[in-house]
Every structure is written in structure tokens, then in C-alpha cells.
């Protein structure tokens, strides 16, 4: 009656992970307080890097139009935490310094079993009339969190919307797992009964 494949399928689903491609949602923290000077770039609510609002202005002298800012005494580290593990293909971000043609230096780390591993690094130098948006491409990283560091030889580092593109990897919730297991045992019982 019931093929062995109908028995194997629920067990396969039980231990499978489900994935969906697109933009990966996150929460984040950073290791240095955002600063103000005579313009404000604070992010006390930790919501301005994923609120959907792009920074505007040709340099930081823009009354903090959606930028988050740090004075450059040392590199700033931003940690992004995902709900589940994710495979990250690329990262987009907006960035400025207080120099009209300033250069941002960045490092990308992934959390691998509690150890931060450097995945890539580089720099982005702004060109005249740039839209301030940059991409880090060619990544193939599976992790539950990413740490980015930004630095500059200029006085300020300003960052806006950070976007992670890739595949969300989710494990079935315990309730779903129990339902799948019950279905598997039910099918197994029906198969034995029909023999």
C-alpha cells in the first residue's frame, strides 16, 4: 500500500532545514558610543541601520540625515545578529567620512562556533557625486552573526543602511518537528497494518 518513500519523507523533513533567499533581517550592537560633536549622529535605539532610510548629503554636514556617526579614535565594530543561521552572499552599506573624497576601510568577520574569523577586508573611496552606497560581493559565509569594522584616516566615520543578501536557514520549530514525527509513525503503522 504505502511505499517506503512515504515513510522516509517525514523523517527527512524532520531533520531538514528550510531556507529562503533574499534580505536577511538582523539586530545589531556596536562597541563604541555614537557621537555628536555639534551635529548629532546618535543611534541610541539601535534601529537606524535597518530603518529603510538612506543617508543624504555630500559629507557629514547634513544635520545627521539618517547617518550614524563615530569619531575616529579607533576602528568601530558593529555586530549583526541574525534570527537563524544564514548564508551571506553580499553586504551593502552606505558610508561617508567628513572628507568629500574620504576613504573607508572595512573588515568582515563571521562567527564560527564562537570564534570571529576574518572573511574579507578592503576599502571604499568616495568619488565625486557618488550615492554613498557600496557593496561587498563574492561572499559565501554561513553564520548566525557578522561583525563589521569601519575606520578612516579622517575625523568621522558615518554609516547608514546595512543590508545582508543571502539565504535564511531555519530549523523547524519543536512543535513542527513533533508533528512530522507523529506523521511518520502514523504512516509506518498504516503500512504495517496493511501488510
Amino acid at each position: 500500500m504505502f511505499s517506503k518513500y512515504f515513510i522516509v519523507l517525514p523523517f527527512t523533513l524532520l531533520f531538514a532545514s528550510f531556507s529562503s533567499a533574499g534580505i536577511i533581517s538582523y539586530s545589531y550592537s556596536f562597541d563604541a558610543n555614537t557621537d555628536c560633536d555639534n551635529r548629532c549622529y546618535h543611534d541610541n535605539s539601535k534601529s537606524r541601520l535597518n530603518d529603510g532610510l538612506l543617508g543624504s548629503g555630500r559629507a557629514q554636514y547634513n544635520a545627521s540625515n539618517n547617518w550614524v556617526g563615530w569619531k575616529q579614535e579607533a576602528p568601530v565594530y558593529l555586530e549583526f545578529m541574525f534570527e537563524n543561521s544564514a548564508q551571506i552572499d553580499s553586504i551593502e552599506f552606505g558610508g561617508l567620512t567628513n572628507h568629500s573624497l574620504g576613504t573607508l576601510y572595512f573588515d568582515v568577520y563571521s562567527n564560527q562556533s564562537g570564534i570571529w574569523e576574518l572573511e574579507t577586508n578592503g576599502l571604499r573611496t568616495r568619488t565625486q557625486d557618488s550615492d554613498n552606497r557600496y557593496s561587498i560581493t563574492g561572499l559565501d559565509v554561513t553564520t548566525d552573526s557578522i561583525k563589521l569594522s569601519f575606520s578612516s584616516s579622517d575625523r568621522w566615520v558615518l554609516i547608514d543602511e546595512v543590508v545582508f543578501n543571502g539565504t535564511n536557514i531555519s530549523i523547524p520549530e519543536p512543535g513542527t518537528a513533533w508533528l512530522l514525527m507523529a506523521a511518520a509513525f502514523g504512516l509506518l503503522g498504516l503500512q504495517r497494518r496493511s501488510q
Side-chain angles (χ1 to χ4, degrees):
M1 278 271 190
F2 288 96
S3 163
K4 63 182 176 181
Y5 299 109
F6 286 104
I7 304 303
V8 171
L9 179 61
F11 281 107
T12 304
L13 289 172
L14 176 63
F15 296 104
S17 58
F18 300 95
S19 60
S20 59
I23 295 174
I24 309 300
S25 61
Y26 61 80
S27 58
Y28 65 93
S29 63
F30 38 80
D31 71 333
N33 290 331
T34 47
D35 216 327
C36 236
D37 199 278
N38 60 337
R39 297 159 295 271
C40 281
Y41 304 100
H42 285 311
D43 187 18
N44 296 325
S45 64
K46 305 226 174 10
S47 61
R48 293 181 64 184
L49 295 181
N50 56 0
D51 62 5
L53 301 174
L54 299 181
S56 61
R58 297 182 59 183
Q60 96 265 31
Y61 304 101
N62 56 29
S64 186
N65 292 337
N66 303 313
W67 295 102
V68 179
W70 292 267
K71 282 184 183 175
Q72 273 304 278
E73 296 166 357
V76 60
Y77 289 88
L78 294 87
E79 184 177 346
F80 300 86
M81 292 78 70
F82 312 129
E83 269 185 43
N84 303 295
S85 287
Q87 180 184 356
I88 305 300
D89 303 320
S90 65
I91 303 169
E92 302 168 34
F93 65 93
L96 283 177
T97 76
N98 58 296
H99 191 280
S100 60
L101 300 177
T103 299
L104 279 175
Y105 301 90
F106 65 85
D107 297 308
V108 179
Y109 301 88
S110 69
N111 184 355
Q112 302 297 328
S113 301
I115 298 171
W116 290 107
E117 292 188 8
L118 179 65
E119 298 295 341
T120 189
N121 56 21
L123 57 89
R124 295 291 184 268
T125 300
R126 193 161 166 241
T127 57
Q128 207 68 28
D129 301 319
S130 164
D131 66 357
N132 313 312
R133 297 294 298 170
Y134 304 107
S135 292
I136 304 168
T137 58
L139 298 173
D140 185 9
V141 179
T142 301
T143 183
D144 63 0
S145 51
I146 291 278
K147 186 180 286 187
L148 301 180
S149 75
F150 290 101
S151 61
S152 171
S153 57
D154 296 324
R155 184 181 181 195
W156 288 83
V157 160
L158 298 172
I159 304 295
D160 76 348
E161 291 299 288
V162 179
V163 176
F164 294 91
N165 298 299
T167 303
N168 225 344
I169 303 168
S170 60
I171 308 299
E173 293 182 10
T176 304
W178 283 113
L179 283 173
L180 290 171
M181 192 180 306
F185 282 119
L187 287 173
L188 183 61
L190 285 173
Q191 183 185 32
R192 288 193 174 181
R193 187 175 176 188
S194 66
Q195 290 176 348

